[in-house]
Amino acid sequence: MKIITIIGTGYVGLVSGAGISDFGHNVVCADINEDKIKQLINGQIPIYEPGLYDLVDRNVKHGRLSFSNDIAGSIENSDIIFIAVGTPEGANGTSDLTAVYEVARAIGNSLNGYKVVCTKSTVPIGTGAEILKIIKDTNKSKNDFDYVSNPEFLREGSAVKDFLWPDRVIIGASNEKAFDFMKDVYRPLYINETPIIETSIETAELIKYASNAFLSVKISYINEIANICDAIGADVHVVSKAMGIDGRISPKFLHPGPGFGGSCFPKDTKALIAMAEALGTDVKVVESAIEANQSQKVRMVNKLINLFNDDVHGKTIAILGLSFKAQTDDVRESPAINMIAALKDRGAIIKAYDPVANENMKKIFNDLDIYNSWEDAVCDADGVVIMTEWNEFRGLDLPRLKDLVKSPNILDCRNILNIDDLESLGFHYDNVGRKKA
Ligand code: UDX
């Protein structure tokens, strides 16, 4: 059993801390944000993440998980310290590492014995070397320590599952002692034969970006195939199914949509491009994926406007789904932002509903007319657009929708509605690469 501090209580830090405590270790989730720590101590989870409340509650009750604002004290009492603070997008696609370096200095100042320092946050290749240097420069006690890169592959909305049952664990380190410490952290996974890949620090840092950027490329690729399907009247669901049967391609991340969003893909793809340029090379495939992604968001706006013969001025449009994907309240880089901005520019009247992300989108558009049900949002609308694949939209009662709207126009940006039902009910509809009437 190890004593572990996780610094940063966002969805990566909190999920990882609760998950590691569930593996049987003694974990402190530490943060400088006093409100966040107060909420956590009071049993409130400051983020929307399915299953996280139960995971935290179970381990707090077993005395394995606690929360603290005392960063220095937590570090001093720990065997392993995880850096899990935010690395937001900085200038021209680079990552803002201010918080990471601040934590590195705090660790250096609090080293009172051998410890493993592990970065869980997504950091550009070479950041490990910089963190090592900062800790060495601030390590007044001259105590020994080792540095490890242990990138996360958590998806918002399924982060608990992704942590407890990962496809693989990546450990980048430079000696056996550090590898052994980390294998002890993930022992329950080790026992059920989850692949644990031991490699260098820089390789571990690259694996994270290479994985995320590839998934982004895959999404932009199927979006562009969907656009060809639109042009020839083919069905992209048949194409992606047939592609996915090929084990080399896999069916995952082959769902066309309005473009990828979130706090990771847009940031990580730009960061990889910036890294490549700094290293005198490039990743043109990733550059194209970003370009295709921006085009996809614009394409959705044009599809909606086409439903109204290019004029939405004065039309009431109901937007169902504001988060960048289902099962999260996160609206960062959500395609719904582009849709709302474009419709506002064209004089449309917008009514919006999302099961959990209403308030977050209202922080971006403070005049957004938000509703607490899809029925209220679509009532008397001239058109409806589905931006997020929430289950409640997958099971939309289409006859009821038809009765509530003023005109039966609908754009399904997630291909979740049954085309035959839309047809038989007389909807004027469009989607992303599926058969049209
Ligand atoms: C991603 C990575 O999946 C995860 O491994 C990493 O740790 C963090 O970034 P996340 O951004 O939370 O996770 O969500 P993800 O499920 O990957 O979706 C990202 C975006 O791609 C969303 O906008 C989603 O709607 C879109 N997407 C995903 C598609 O458009 N089609 C797909 O088939 C899959």
Side-chain angles (χ1 to χ4, degrees):
M1 185 276 282
K2 287 278 187 292
I3 300 175
I4 294 169
T5 290
I6 309 268
I7 302 176
T9 53
Y11 95 95
V12 172
L14 196 49
V15 171
S16 304
I20 290 171
S21 69
D22 210 48
F23 291 162
H25 302 287
N26 188 321
V27 176
V28 176
C29 284
D31 200 305
I32 53 173
N33 183 316
E34 292 186 11
D35 289 342
K36 256 190 187 180
I37 294 299
K38 198 177 293 175
Q39 277 183 300
L40 288 164
I41 289 170
N42 293 334
Q44 297 158 330
I45 302 294
I47 54 173
Y48 179 90
E49 189 57 52
L52 184 55
Y53 177 84
D54 292 342
L55 184 67
V56 167
D57 186 51
R58 178 166 75 240
N59 286 286
V60 166
K61 285 192 171 116
H62 277 92
R64 292 192 290 257
L65 179 62
S66 60
F67 308 100
S68 169
N69 288 123
D70 180 5
I71 306 281
S74 303
I75 292 168
E76 287 166 359
N77 296 331
S78 297
D79 304 311
I80 302 174
I81 301 104
F82 280 85
I83 301 174
V85 292
T87 56
E89 188 177 330
N92 47 46
T94 59
S95 296
D96 178 352
L97 300 172
T98 309
V100 168
Y101 293 155
E102 202 172 295
V103 169
R105 277 188 287 278
I107 293 169
N109 287 325
S110 308
L111 275 182
N112 58 350
Y114 175 77
K115 299 181 192 300
V116 168
V117 179
C118 173
T119 295
K120 181 68 84 175
S121 302
T122 302
V123 292
I125 303 156
T127 304
E130 185 58 30
I131 292 171
L132 258 170
K133 184 177 175 306
I134 290 171
I135 296 176
K136 279 184 180 143
D137 292 349
T138 52
N139 178 9
K140 295 191 287 292
S141 66
K142 300 303 171 207
N143 278 303
D144 190 18
F145 72 95
D146 280 312
Y147 178 82
V148 171
S149 167
N150 174 219
E152 50 82 17
F153 299 91
L154 309 181
R155 292 166 293 169
E156 288 189 34
S158 55
V160 170
K161 176 183 142 318
D162 291 344
F163 187 88
L164 296 177
W165 293 280
D167 289 334
R168 76 313 204 178
V169 174
I170 307 297
I171 300 173
S174 51
N175 66 54
E176 276 315 305
K177 186 175 183 181
F179 281 124
D180 290 344
F181 258 57
M182 294 306 292
K183 281 190 285 192
D184 192 20
V185 171
Y186 291 103
R187 187 154 304 284
L189 298 178
Y190 201 58
I191 289 164
N192 65 32
E193 296 180 350
T194 300
I196 294 192
I197 295 176
E198 300 181 7
T199 184
S200 73
I201 291 166
E202 287 73 16
T203 304
E205 290 168 339
L206 176 57
I207 288 167
K208 168 68 182 177
Y209 283 97
S211 302
N212 260 16
F214 177 74
L215 292 170
S216 307
V217 168
K218 198 172 179 185
I219 292 164
S220 281
Y221 181 80
I222 198 63
N223 283 343
E224 293 198 318
I225 295 299
N227 300 341
I228 294 173
C229 290
D230 272 336
I232 65 171
D235 187 340
V236 71
H237 278 194
V238 176
V239 174
S240 61
K241 183 171 176 7
M243 286 173 66
I245 292 168
D246 183 328
R248 296 170 299 172
I249 297 174
S250 119
K252 292 184 179 174
F253 279 63
L254 270 185
H255 308 296
F260 58 77
S263 62
C264 297
F265 284 177
K267 170 175 73 80
D268 293 353
T269 45
K270 288 178 196 161
L272 184 59
I273 290 165
M275 276 179 251
E277 281 168 4
L279 295 165
T281 182
D282 50 30
V283 273
K284 290 189 176 18
V285 170
V286 178
E287 288 171 20
S288 302
I290 293 175
E291 195 182 325
N293 194 53
Q294 284 315 106
S295 303
Q296 194 70 1
K297 294 180 180 180
V298 173
R299 186 178 174 83
M300 295 303 110
V301 173
N302 293 336
K303 276 179 172 277
L304 182 68
I305 292 167
N306 289 344
L307 283 177
F308 292 91
N309 300 318
D310 295 337
D311 181 15
V312 290
H313 192 274
K315 301 288 185 193
T316 299
I317 308 291
I319 298 182
L320 300 186
L322 301 174
S323 55
F324 80 93
K325 61 179 275 195
Q327 296 304 322
T328 182
D329 63 353
D330 194 342
V331 297
R332 286 176 286 185
E333 302 280 334
S334 171
I337 294 172
N338 305 67
M339 181 61 78
I340 292 168
L343 292 178
K344 281 167 68 90
D345 285 351
R346 288 165 176 76
I349 298 155
I350 297 169
K351 301 173 75 180
Y353 165 68
D354 184 285
V356 296
N358 274 351
E359 293 311 320
N360 282 338
M361 190 60 87
K362 198 126 169 95
K363 292 172 189 163
I364 298 176
F365 299 101
N366 56 25
D367 61 345
L368 185 65
D369 195 7
I370 55 177
Y371 292 80
N372 293 320
S373 73
W374 69 263
E375 291 92 340
D376 290 347
V378 306
C379 200
D380 293 333
D382 296 299
V384 178
V385 55
I386 293 180
M387 294 301 298
T388 310
E389 70 289 9
W390 286 101
N391 283 336
E392 72 173 281
F393 302 152
R394 288 179 192 278
L396 270 186
D397 177 347
L398 293 177
R400 178 157 167 65
L401 175 67
K402 177 89 182 294
D403 290 344
L404 288 169
V405 295
K406 193 189 295 177
S407 324
N409 301 299
I410 190 162
L411 171 60
D412 177 6
C413 296
R414 295 289 184 166
N415 291 344
I416 55 179
L417 299 180
N418 181 300
I419 292 176
D420 295 335
D421 293 347
L422 290 169
E423 274 283 287
S424 58
L425 286 161
F427 276 91
H428 179 213
Y429 67 90
D430 195 0
N431 47 46
V432 187
R434 304 232 39 218
K435 274 195 181 132
K436 308 295 179 294

